[in-house]
Amino acid sequence: DAMVIQNPRYQVTQFGKPVTLSCSQTLNHNVMYWYQQKSSQAPKLLFHYYDKDFNNEADTPDNFQSRRPNTSFCFLDIRSPGLGDAAMYLCATSREGGATQYFGPGTRLTVL
Amino acid sequence: GIQVEQSPPDLILQEGANSTLRCNFSDSVNNLQWFHQNPWGQLINLFYIPSGTKQNGRLSATTVATERYSLLYISSSQTTDSGVYFCAEANSGNTPLVFGKGTRLSVIA
């Protein structure tokens, strides 16, 4: 089945230690999104790629970076995680901008 | 910016009951989606519905774009319907979805 896969499902890191979260998709969609969701809050868009074009939300901290080496994969790099970065990180894809979004299962990040 | 308001914020139902969740939005709609987030955090797309009415099993949704609201109907609710329901809207194909704060639904047996 076509799907969006995120690895790992759970990630524990130490304060200030860089971490990379992975997302892959078999849907061959053009657009890939990264959202941050904190407890009891709505998902918040960090950035998205339309093909290779990177679009950063204005309020996304510089601490967060992303890479999309090919259509199928997208990575979220947190350069120096703080306690406030503990959250669920959700990857989503859509065929085009404005189309239905399909989410992966998420990576729950804990920062010690 | 676009405002998306959902009501009610919390809802408790007896299994088998019906419910209506509402989403009001402040701007013209190009893209409106309803999602269900299960207790494990997975977001499932329920409907892509910028206008009109759609049905999928026990769920249906209606968006009245001219009046800037959308409704999600759940009939004969089951315990597996529990979770948080999010409405998300964008006013063009090139702008990101803005999520409401969600409705937390608990269905009890």
Side-chain angles (χ1 to χ4, degrees):
Chain A
D1 287 341
M3 58 177 56
V4 183
I5 301 164
Q6 291 188 244
N7 285 303
R9 296 291 309 277
Y10 300 90
Q11 176 73 57
V12 179
T13 190
Q14 291 183 330
F15 183 94
K17 186 174 181 181
V19 65
T20 294
L21 309 183
S22 167
C23 177
S24 64
Q25 53 128 342
T26 61
L27 297 161
N28 202 32
H29 282 173
N30 293 317
V31 193
M32 295 187 77
Y33 308 82
W34 279 105
Y35 290 86
Q36 178 193 64
Q37 186 179 27
K38 296 188 176 180
S39 181
S40 299
Q41 295 184 18
K44 177 181 179 294
L45 183 66
L46 296 173
F47 25 58
H48 72 278
Y49 276 94
Y50 195 119
D51 290 331
K52 292 186 179 297
D53 292 334
F54 177 69
N55 298 272
N56 196 31
E57 292 303 297
D59 56 356
T60 298
D62 293 340
N63 198 25
F64 292 84
Q65 304 285 318
S66 185
R67 297 170 282 135
R68 190 178 185 185
N70 54 52
T71 300
S72 301
F73 284 87
C74 196
F75 299 97
L76 169 61
D77 300 309
I78 308 176
R79 293 191 297 186
S80 182
L83 298 179
D85 297 327
M88 175 76 92
Y89 289 88
L90 296 162
C91 174
T93 74
S94 66
R95 182 174 47 81
E96 300 290 341
T100 302
Q101 289 192 19
Y102 298 90
F103 281 80
T107 295
R108 189 171 297 279
L109 178 68
T110 300
V111 181
L112 301 178
Chain B
I2 297 172
Q3 304 291 320
V4 179
E5 295 182 355
Q6 292 187 243
S7 60
D10 296 280
L11 185 59
I12 300 175
L13 293 177
Q14 199 76 35
E15 198 170 27
N18 303 328
S19 64
T20 301
L21 280 56
R22 187 177 179 101
C23 173
N24 291 332
F25 41 91
S26 61
D27 204 344
S28 59
V29 59
N30 172 274
N31 176 356
L32 189 135
Q33 302 184 34
W34 282 98
F35 297 91
H36 174 223
Q37 189 165 39
N38 65 25
W40 297 272
Q42 171 85 59
L43 270 163
I44 305 295
N45 189 290
L46 299 174
F47 294 103
Y48 176 89
I49 187 164
S51 64
T53 296
K54 291 185 177 179
Q55 180 158 6
N56 184 2
R58 296 182 295 104
L59 302 182
S60 64
T62 295
T63 297
V64 183
T66 52
E67 298 187 22
R68 298 187 179 171
Y69 72 87
S70 183
L71 302 174
L72 178 68
Y73 306 96
I74 304 174
S75 65
S76 304
S77 58
Q78 301 176 358
T79 55
T80 52
D81 295 331
S82 296
V84 182
Y85 289 81
F86 287 103
C87 165
E89 194 258 334
N91 59 9
S92 80
N94 296 320
T95 54
L97 286 176
V98 175
F99 281 75
K101 294 184 177 180
T103 292
R104 183 174 298 275
L105 175 65
S106 299
V107 181
I108 54 177

Short mmCIF file of all heavy atoms in Angstrom, two decimals, chain A residues 9 35 37 40-43 45 57 88 90 97-105 108, chain B residues 30-31 33 35 37 40-43 45 48 86 92-94 96-97 99-101 104:
data_model
loop_
_atom_site.label_atom_id
_atom_site.label_comp_id
_atom_site.label_asym_id
_atom_site.label_seq_id
_atom_site.Cartn_x
_atom_site.Cartn_y
_atom_site.Cartn_z
N ARG A 9 9.87 6.10 15.33
CA ARG A 9 8.58 6.49 15.90
C ARG A 9 8.77 7.24 17.21
O ARG A 9 7.99 8.13 17.55
CB ARG A 9 7.71 5.26 16.12
CG ARG A 9 7.33 4.51 14.85
CD ARG A 9 6.36 5.35 13.99
NE ARG A 9 5.24 5.81 14.78
CZ ARG A 9 4.16 5.11 15.04
NH1 ARG A 9 4.06 3.87 14.58
NH2 ARG A 9 3.17 5.61 15.75
N TYR A 35 5.36 19.19 10.16
CA TYR A 35 4.59 19.87 11.18
C TYR A 35 5.16 19.53 12.56
O TYR A 35 5.64 18.42 12.78
CB TYR A 35 3.12 19.41 11.17
CG TYR A 35 2.30 19.85 9.99
CD1 TYR A 35 2.27 19.11 8.81
CD2 TYR A 35 1.50 20.99 10.06
CE1 TYR A 35 1.48 19.50 7.74
CE2 TYR A 35 0.70 21.38 9.00
CZ TYR A 35 0.70 20.63 7.83
OH TYR A 35 -0.10 21.02 6.78
N GLN A 37 3.73 19.29 16.49
CA GLN A 37 2.51 19.30 17.30
C GLN A 37 2.86 19.08 18.76
O GLN A 37 3.38 18.02 19.13
CB GLN A 37 1.52 18.24 16.83
CG GLN A 37 0.18 18.32 17.55
CD GLN A 37 -0.82 17.29 17.08
OE1 GLN A 37 -0.45 16.22 16.60
NE2 GLN A 37 -2.11 17.60 17.20
N SER A 40 -1.86 18.65 23.19
CA SER A 40 -3.18 19.31 23.20
C SER A 40 -3.23 20.55 22.30
O SER A 40 -4.06 21.43 22.51
CB SER A 40 -3.57 19.70 24.63
OG SER A 40 -3.66 18.54 25.43
N GLN A 41 -2.37 20.60 21.31
CA GLN A 41 -2.39 21.72 20.37
C GLN A 41 -2.60 21.20 18.94
O GLN A 41 -2.46 20.01 18.67
CB GLN A 41 -1.10 22.53 20.44
CG GLN A 41 -0.89 23.22 21.77
CD GLN A 41 0.36 24.10 21.77
OE1 GLN A 41 0.89 24.45 20.71
NE2 GLN A 41 0.83 24.44 22.95
N ALA A 42 -2.91 22.11 18.04
CA ALA A 42 -3.04 21.76 16.63
C ALA A 42 -1.65 21.64 16.00
O ALA A 42 -0.68 22.22 16.49
CB ALA A 42 -3.84 22.84 15.91
N PRO A 43 -1.54 20.88 14.92
CA PRO A 43 -0.27 20.84 14.20
C PRO A 43 0.12 22.22 13.70
O PRO A 43 -0.73 23.00 13.25
CB PRO A 43 -0.55 19.89 13.03
CG PRO A 43 -1.72 19.08 13.47
CD PRO A 43 -2.54 19.98 14.33
N LEU A 45 2.71 24.14 11.02
CA LEU A 45 3.59 23.91 9.88
C LEU A 45 4.95 24.57 10.11
O LEU A 45 5.02 25.75 10.47
CB LEU A 45 2.95 24.45 8.60
CG LEU A 45 3.72 24.23 7.31
CD1 LEU A 45 3.80 22.74 6.98
CD2 LEU A 45 3.08 24.99 6.16
N GLU A 57 8.28 28.54 6.89
CA GLU A 57 7.33 29.44 7.55
C GLU A 57 8.11 30.52 8.30
O GLU A 57 9.20 30.28 8.83
CB GLU A 57 6.44 28.65 8.52
CG GLU A 57 5.49 27.70 7.83
CD GLU A 57 4.60 28.38 6.83
OE1 GLU A 57 3.80 29.24 7.23
OE2 GLU A 57 4.71 28.06 5.64
N MET A 88 5.51 16.08 19.06
CA MET A 88 5.30 15.11 17.99
C MET A 88 5.63 15.83 16.68
O MET A 88 5.17 16.95 16.45
CB MET A 88 3.85 14.63 17.97
CG MET A 88 3.51 13.71 16.81
SD MET A 88 4.15 12.06 17.05
CE MET A 88 2.71 11.31 17.84
N LEU A 90 5.27 15.59 12.65
CA LEU A 90 4.45 14.92 11.67
C LEU A 90 4.90 15.30 10.27
O LEU A 90 5.10 16.47 9.96
CB LEU A 90 2.98 15.32 11.84
CG LEU A 90 2.33 14.91 13.16
CD1 LEU A 90 1.08 15.72 13.43
CD2 LEU A 90 2.00 13.43 13.16
N GLY A 97 0.09 21.41 -4.29
CA GLY A 97 -0.31 22.36 -3.28
C GLY A 97 -1.82 22.51 -3.30
O GLY A 97 -2.40 22.62 -4.37
N GLY A 98 -2.43 22.49 -2.14
CA GLY A 98 -3.87 22.63 -2.08
C GLY A 98 -4.64 21.34 -2.22
O GLY A 98 -5.87 21.35 -2.21
N ALA A 99 -3.95 20.22 -2.38
CA ALA A 99 -4.62 18.93 -2.50
C ALA A 99 -4.67 18.23 -1.14
O ALA A 99 -4.10 18.69 -0.15
CB ALA A 99 -3.89 18.06 -3.52
N THR A 100 -5.34 17.11 -1.12
CA THR A 100 -5.47 16.32 0.11
C THR A 100 -4.10 16.00 0.69
O THR A 100 -3.19 15.58 -0.03
CB THR A 100 -6.21 15.01 -0.20
OG1 THR A 100 -7.49 15.32 -0.75
CG2 THR A 100 -6.39 14.18 1.05
N GLN A 101 -3.96 16.17 2.01
CA GLN A 101 -2.69 15.85 2.67
C GLN A 101 -2.82 14.50 3.37
O GLN A 101 -3.82 14.20 4.02
CB GLN A 101 -2.33 16.93 3.69
CG GLN A 101 -1.91 18.23 3.03
CD GLN A 101 -1.29 19.22 3.98
OE1 GLN A 101 -0.83 18.86 5.07
NE2 GLN A 101 -1.24 20.48 3.57
N TYR A 102 -1.74 13.70 3.25
CA TYR A 102 -1.67 12.39 3.87
C TYR A 102 -0.51 12.41 4.87
O TYR A 102 0.61 12.75 4.52
CB TYR A 102 -1.44 11.31 2.81
CG TYR A 102 -2.57 11.21 1.82
CD1 TYR A 102 -2.56 11.97 0.65
CD2 TYR A 102 -3.66 10.40 2.07
CE1 TYR A 102 -3.61 11.90 -0.25
CE2 TYR A 102 -4.71 10.32 1.17
CZ TYR A 102 -4.69 11.08 0.02
OH TYR A 102 -5.73 11.02 -0.87
N PHE A 103 -0.83 12.03 6.10
CA PHE A 103 0.14 12.13 7.18
C PHE A 103 0.78 10.78 7.49
O PHE A 103 0.14 9.72 7.40
CB PHE A 103 -0.53 12.65 8.45
CG PHE A 103 -0.75 14.14 8.45
CD1 PHE A 103 -1.81 14.70 7.76
CD2 PHE A 103 0.12 14.97 9.14
CE1 PHE A 103 -2.01 16.08 7.76
CE2 PHE A 103 -0.06 16.34 9.15
CZ PHE A 103 -1.13 16.90 8.46
N GLY A 104 2.04 10.84 7.92
CA GLY A 104 2.70 9.69 8.50
C GLY A 104 2.29 9.54 9.96
O GLY A 104 1.55 10.36 10.49
N PRO A 105 2.79 8.48 10.62
CA PRO A 105 2.38 8.20 12.00
C PRO A 105 3.04 9.12 13.02
O PRO A 105 2.62 9.14 14.18
CB PRO A 105 2.83 6.76 12.22
CG PRO A 105 3.97 6.59 11.27
CD PRO A 105 3.65 7.43 10.07
N ARG A 108 7.68 10.92 17.94
CA ARG A 108 7.56 11.64 19.23
C ARG A 108 8.96 11.88 19.77
O ARG A 108 9.70 10.93 20.04
CB ARG A 108 6.73 10.84 20.21
CG ARG A 108 6.39 11.63 21.48
CD ARG A 108 5.39 10.91 22.35
NE ARG A 108 4.10 10.73 21.71
CZ ARG A 108 3.16 11.66 21.65
NH1 ARG A 108 3.37 12.86 22.15
NH2 ARG A 108 2.00 11.39 21.07
N ASN B 30 -10.44 27.77 -0.39
CA ASN B 30 -9.98 27.05 -1.58
C ASN B 30 -9.77 25.59 -1.26
O ASN B 30 -9.92 24.72 -2.11
CB ASN B 30 -8.68 27.67 -2.08
CG ASN B 30 -8.03 26.88 -3.20
OD1 ASN B 30 -7.28 25.94 -2.95
ND2 ASN B 30 -8.35 27.22 -4.43
N ASN B 31 -9.43 25.33 0.00
CA ASN B 31 -9.01 24.01 0.42
C ASN B 31 -9.50 23.81 1.85
O ASN B 31 -9.10 24.56 2.74
CB ASN B 31 -7.47 23.94 0.35
CG ASN B 31 -6.90 22.64 0.85
OD1 ASN B 31 -7.60 21.77 1.34
ND2 ASN B 31 -5.60 22.52 0.73
N GLN B 33 -10.15 20.64 4.75
CA GLN B 33 -9.98 19.22 5.02
C GLN B 33 -10.36 18.93 6.47
O GLN B 33 -10.11 19.75 7.36
CB GLN B 33 -8.52 18.79 4.76
CG GLN B 33 -8.09 19.07 3.32
CD GLN B 33 -6.70 18.57 2.98
OE1 GLN B 33 -6.26 17.54 3.45
NE2 GLN B 33 -6.02 19.31 2.10
N PHE B 35 -9.74 16.06 9.50
CA PHE B 35 -8.84 15.00 9.91
C PHE B 35 -9.31 14.41 11.24
O PHE B 35 -9.89 15.12 12.07
CB PHE B 35 -7.42 15.52 10.11
CG PHE B 35 -6.76 16.08 8.88
CD1 PHE B 35 -6.86 17.43 8.58
CD2 PHE B 35 -6.02 15.27 8.04
CE1 PHE B 35 -6.25 17.96 7.45
CE2 PHE B 35 -5.40 15.79 6.91
CZ PHE B 35 -5.52 17.14 6.62
N GLN B 37 -7.49 12.52 14.47
CA GLN B 37 -6.24 12.10 15.10
C GLN B 37 -6.57 11.06 16.17
O GLN B 37 -7.27 11.37 17.15
CB GLN B 37 -5.49 13.28 15.71
CG GLN B 37 -4.09 12.90 16.19
CD GLN B 37 -3.23 14.11 16.45
OE1 GLN B 37 -3.68 15.12 16.97
NE2 GLN B 37 -1.94 14.03 16.09
N TRP B 40 -3.13 7.42 19.28
CA TRP B 40 -1.70 7.18 19.07
C TRP B 40 -1.04 8.31 18.28
O TRP B 40 0.14 8.26 18.00
CB TRP B 40 -1.50 5.85 18.35
CG TRP B 40 -1.98 4.72 19.19
CD1 TRP B 40 -1.29 4.02 20.13
CD2 TRP B 40 -3.32 4.19 19.20
NE1 TRP B 40 -2.11 3.08 20.70
CE2 TRP B 40 -3.35 3.16 20.15
CE3 TRP B 40 -4.47 4.48 18.48
CZ2 TRP B 40 -4.51 2.42 20.41
CZ3 TRP B 40 -5.63 3.74 18.74
CH2 TRP B 40 -5.62 2.73 19.70
N GLY B 41 -1.83 9.30 17.91
CA GLY B 41 -1.27 10.48 17.25
C GLY B 41 -1.36 10.49 15.73
O GLY B 41 -0.99 11.47 15.09
N GLN B 42 -1.82 9.42 15.14
CA GLN B 42 -1.91 9.36 13.67
C GLN B 42 -3.05 10.24 13.17
O GLN B 42 -4.18 10.13 13.65
CB GLN B 42 -2.15 7.91 13.23
CG GLN B 42 -2.47 7.77 11.76
CD GLN B 42 -1.24 7.68 10.88
OE1 GLN B 42 -0.41 6.80 11.05
NE2 GLN B 42 -1.13 8.60 9.93
N LEU B 43 -2.75 11.11 12.22
CA LEU B 43 -3.76 11.96 11.59
C LEU B 43 -4.25 11.28 10.32
O LEU B 43 -3.46 10.99 9.42
CB LEU B 43 -3.18 13.32 11.24
CG LEU B 43 -3.26 14.42 12.28
CD1 LEU B 43 -2.31 15.54 11.96
CD2 LEU B 43 -4.69 14.97 12.33
N ASN B 45 -6.83 11.57 7.08
CA ASN B 45 -7.67 12.47 6.31
C ASN B 45 -9.05 11.86 6.12
O ASN B 45 -9.16 10.74 5.64
CB ASN B 45 -7.02 12.76 4.96
CG ASN B 45 -7.73 13.87 4.22
OD1 ASN B 45 -8.84 13.69 3.75
ND2 ASN B 45 -7.08 15.01 4.13
N TYR B 48 -11.78 15.84 1.94
CA TYR B 48 -11.31 17.06 1.25
C TYR B 48 -12.58 17.69 0.71
O TYR B 48 -13.20 17.14 -0.20
CB TYR B 48 -10.34 16.70 0.14
CG TYR B 48 -9.88 17.88 -0.67
CD1 TYR B 48 -8.75 18.61 -0.28
CD2 TYR B 48 -10.55 18.29 -1.81
CE1 TYR B 48 -8.32 19.69 -1.03
CE2 TYR B 48 -10.13 19.37 -2.55
CZ TYR B 48 -9.01 20.07 -2.16
OH TYR B 48 -8.59 21.15 -2.89
N PHE B 86 -9.87 17.52 13.62
CA PHE B 86 -9.37 18.81 13.20
C PHE B 86 -9.97 19.20 11.86
O PHE B 86 -10.10 18.37 10.95
CB PHE B 86 -7.84 18.79 13.03
CG PHE B 86 -7.06 18.74 14.31
CD1 PHE B 86 -6.48 17.55 14.74
CD2 PHE B 86 -6.89 19.87 15.09
CE1 PHE B 86 -5.75 17.50 15.91
CE2 PHE B 86 -6.16 19.82 16.27
CZ PHE B 86 -5.59 18.64 16.69
N SER B 92 -6.01 29.50 -0.72
CA SER B 92 -5.51 29.31 -2.09
C SER B 92 -4.70 28.03 -2.13
O SER B 92 -4.37 27.45 -1.09
CB SER B 92 -4.64 30.50 -2.53
OG SER B 92 -3.35 30.38 -1.99
N GLY B 93 -4.38 27.59 -3.34
CA GLY B 93 -3.60 26.37 -3.46
C GLY B 93 -2.16 26.54 -3.06
O GLY B 93 -1.45 25.55 -2.84
N ASN B 94 -1.72 27.77 -2.92
CA ASN B 94 -0.31 28.00 -2.61
C ASN B 94 -0.06 28.41 -1.17
O ASN B 94 1.07 28.66 -0.79
CB ASN B 94 0.25 29.11 -3.52
CG ASN B 94 0.24 28.69 -4.97
OD1 ASN B 94 0.53 27.54 -5.29
ND2 ASN B 94 -0.11 29.60 -5.85
N PRO B 96 -0.44 27.57 3.04
CA PRO B 96 -0.53 26.38 3.88
C PRO B 96 -1.88 26.28 4.58
O PRO B 96 -2.58 27.28 4.77
CB PRO B 96 0.59 26.58 4.89
CG PRO B 96 0.82 28.04 4.93
CD PRO B 96 0.51 28.56 3.57
N LEU B 97 -2.23 25.07 4.98
CA LEU B 97 -3.43 24.85 5.75
C LEU B 97 -3.30 25.51 7.12
O LEU B 97 -2.24 25.44 7.75
CB LEU B 97 -3.67 23.35 5.96
CG LEU B 97 -4.17 22.54 4.78
CD1 LEU B 97 -4.24 21.05 5.18
CD2 LEU B 97 -5.53 23.01 4.31
N PHE B 99 -4.93 25.11 10.77
CA PHE B 99 -5.70 24.16 11.55
C PHE B 99 -6.49 24.87 12.64
O PHE B 99 -6.00 25.82 13.27
CB PHE B 99 -4.78 23.13 12.21
CG PHE B 99 -4.31 22.04 11.30
CD1 PHE B 99 -3.35 22.28 10.34
CD2 PHE B 99 -4.85 20.76 11.39
CE1 PHE B 99 -2.92 21.27 9.48
CE2 PHE B 99 -4.42 19.75 10.55
CZ PHE B 99 -3.46 20.00 9.60
N GLY B 100 -7.71 24.38 12.90
CA GLY B 100 -8.41 24.77 14.10
C GLY B 100 -7.83 24.05 15.30
O GLY B 100 -6.93 23.21 15.17
N LYS B 101 -8.34 24.37 16.49
CA LYS B 101 -7.82 23.76 17.71
C LYS B 101 -8.36 22.37 17.96
O LYS B 101 -7.91 21.69 18.88
CB LYS B 101 -8.10 24.67 18.91
CG LYS B 101 -7.34 25.98 18.85
CD LYS B 101 -7.57 26.83 20.09
CE LYS B 101 -6.75 28.11 20.03
NZ LYS B 101 -6.95 28.96 21.22
N ARG B 104 -12.24 17.41 20.75
CA ARG B 104 -11.86 16.13 21.35
C ARG B 104 -13.12 15.33 21.64
O ARG B 104 -13.97 15.75 22.43
CB ARG B 104 -11.07 16.36 22.65
CG ARG B 104 -10.57 15.06 23.29
CD ARG B 104 -9.67 15.34 24.48
NE ARG B 104 -8.47 16.07 24.06
CZ ARG B 104 -7.38 15.49 23.58
NH1 ARG B 104 -7.32 14.18 23.46
NH2 ARG B 104 -6.34 16.22 23.24
#
